[in-house]
Amino acid sequence: MTVDDGDGDLIQYRQGAARAGKGRRPAQAPRIVEAPQHRQTRRAPQVPGNARWARAVVQPAPRGSLGTAPTGPTVLLLGPVSVDGAAGRIDSSRRNAGTELVAFLALNPGVDHHAIDDALWPGRLVGKEMRNAVVSRTRSWLGKDTDGRLHFPRVQDSGDSRYRLGAQVSCDWTRFQHLARTGLTRHDEDGTLALRHALSLVRGRPFGGIDPTRYAWAEPAIQQMVSAIVDVAYELSTRCREASDIPGALWAARRGLLAAEESELLHRQLFLAHHAADDLEGLREAATRLARINEQLLDGADMEAETAELLRNLLPRPTAPTR
């Protein structure tokens, strides 16, 4: 019996995700700092975990409290991709393939060998010897849990000839989704705390630092993650500003910008927070930073009309020189 027999389709993510932060919510006039009507008029943030997100949920909701630490390896996707806490070792020249395999399985549990081949070696005819070598090295690298169970079970032990990671392997994206779902549906201290915990998982743009010749399969997931991070950062920044927690509002917006530095939605949050703190210098620096980002990343594109209008309302108008 061939251990990787079976067929199945690569789990597909929602396609065509809109670019995060562009054209999503209108900027609000400065009066919202004193009379917060914002939550009633803006589009509700998407909650990871609804029907459209279902296929990106890779494991059950994390066990225990918000502070529960994972007991096995952690797949880190919300920034540079890495696997933290693997019990074994892997040669540095083999680590990239192993990391990509683990990342793929974290987002696509229960796939067959065809899906793995299509993801890791797109457009190539891959023999089972090559695939099995990568799988075996990765399995040894992840190691075993405290009960002696493999963190990457053998496919012949799965019962359905499918590949998946063990129950003790966690993923920061799964954790983020759980916390975001909690935080976006609860408008109390616990909800706000959940949003803070979610954003604390963000270390940069999802899948940052990857080899440009690899991870083609991850692009739809990256767009999902960026969109979700922007939504959570926007919501938390707004809640903090409306509660007069300006440092918290700035932290939330900046954390979201780690994942989507081009998001004018979050830059507008920075502008409003600086204005609420009467920090004119900070507001001007933030506006200059956005102009520089548009110049460098977007080929000199103009800022969005909502952003320009907001800055006209927030910044003092220049006075004509006296004669």
Side-chain angles (χ1 to χ4, degrees):
M1 174 179 177
T2 303
V3 298
D4 55 11
D5 277 347
D7 54 28
D9 296 325
L10 175 63
I11 295 176
Q12 298 295 322
Y13 283 94
R14 174 169 56 92
Q15 300 291 327
R19 180 182 170 192
K22 292 291 184 183
R24 297 167 57 154
R25 305 181 182 89
Q28 301 296 313
R31 66 178 180 275
I32 69 169
V33 175
E34 287 131 9
Q37 302 298 320
H38 194 53
R39 186 171 292 120
Q40 298 175 0
T41 58
R42 72 173 184 269
R43 178 179 67 81
Q46 294 177 342
V47 181
N50 62 21
R52 288 183 295 174
W53 293 77
R55 287 195 168 187
V57 177
V58 300
Q59 294 184 33
R63 299 171 296 278
S65 66
L66 293 178
T68 300
T71 60
T74 301
V75 187
L76 301 175
L77 306 178
L78 302 182
V81 180
S82 65
V83 178
D84 186 39
R89 302 181 64 180
I90 191 170
D91 189 273
S92 59
S93 64
R94 310 289 188 179
R95 183 180 295 270
N96 286 345
T99 299
E100 184 175 9
L101 175 59
V102 173
F104 178 71
L105 292 176
L107 296 181
N108 299 274
V111 297
D112 71 350
H113 68 281
H114 298 296
I116 291 177
D117 292 351
D118 290 342
L120 270 65
W121 302 283
R124 293 173 57 186
L125 184 61
V126 180
K128 69 177 183 179
E129 293 81 8
M130 180 177 177
R131 179 195 327 111
N132 288 347
V134 172
V135 167
S136 179
R137 284 192 295 265
T138 304
R139 180 176 295 118
S140 297
W141 177 36
L142 295 185
K144 300 179 180 180
D145 64 20
T146 54
D147 294 324
R149 292 187 292 262
L150 290 166
H151 287 307
F152 184 6
R154 293 182 177 87
V155 70
Q156 60 264 40
D157 298 331
S158 67
D160 58 4
S161 297
R162 300 293 172 124
Y163 294 85
R164 55 179 57 84
L165 301 174
Q168 297 303 317
V169 179
S170 61
C171 178
D172 59 355
W173 170 233
T174 308
R175 182 69 169 159
F176 181 96
Q177 290 177 292
H178 171 68
L179 293 166
R181 185 163 54 245
T182 299
L184 292 173
T185 54
R186 296 185 59 171
H187 294 274
D188 55 16
E189 283 190 21
D190 287 342
T192 298
L193 182 62
L195 296 181
R196 289 182 186 274
H197 277 283
L199 285 181
S200 71
L201 297 172
V202 178
R203 298 168 291 112
R205 189 169 183 85
F207 285 82
I210 58 176
D211 183 338
T213 65
R214 307 185 74 103
Y215 291 92
W217 57 268
E219 186 57 35
I222 293 171
Q223 295 304 319
Q224 267 191 339
M225 293 174 186
V226 169
S227 180
I229 291 167
V230 169
D231 274 342
V232 170
Y234 177 86
E235 177 68 16
L236 180 58
S237 184
T238 299
R239 290 188 192 184
C240 289
R241 190 182 68 250
E242 292 176 352
S244 299
D245 177 9
I246 302 305
L250 291 170
W251 178 86
R254 288 168 178 159
R255 202 76 182 186
L257 288 168
L258 290 177
E261 63 177 331
E262 76 283 1
S263 171
E264 293 196 18
L265 181 72
L266 295 183
H267 284 283
R268 292 195 289 269
Q269 291 295 95
L270 289 179
F271 301 160
L272 289 166
H274 285 300
H275 178 266
D278 293 324
D279 181 7
L280 181 58
E281 181 180 357
L283 174 57
R284 284 177 170 151
E285 289 177 353
T288 299
R289 189 178 308 113
L290 173 59
R292 186 165 57 249
I293 289 171
N294 284 346
E295 179 69 30
Q296 295 174 348
L297 297 184
L298 304 176
D299 298 324
D302 293 334
M303 64 178 62
E304 296 171 3
E306 302 98 310
T307 307
E309 180 181 2
L310 181 62
L311 285 175
R312 282 194 296 270
N313 290 333
L314 297 181
L315 289 170
R317 299 182 184 277
T319 57
T322 58
R323 296 183 179 179

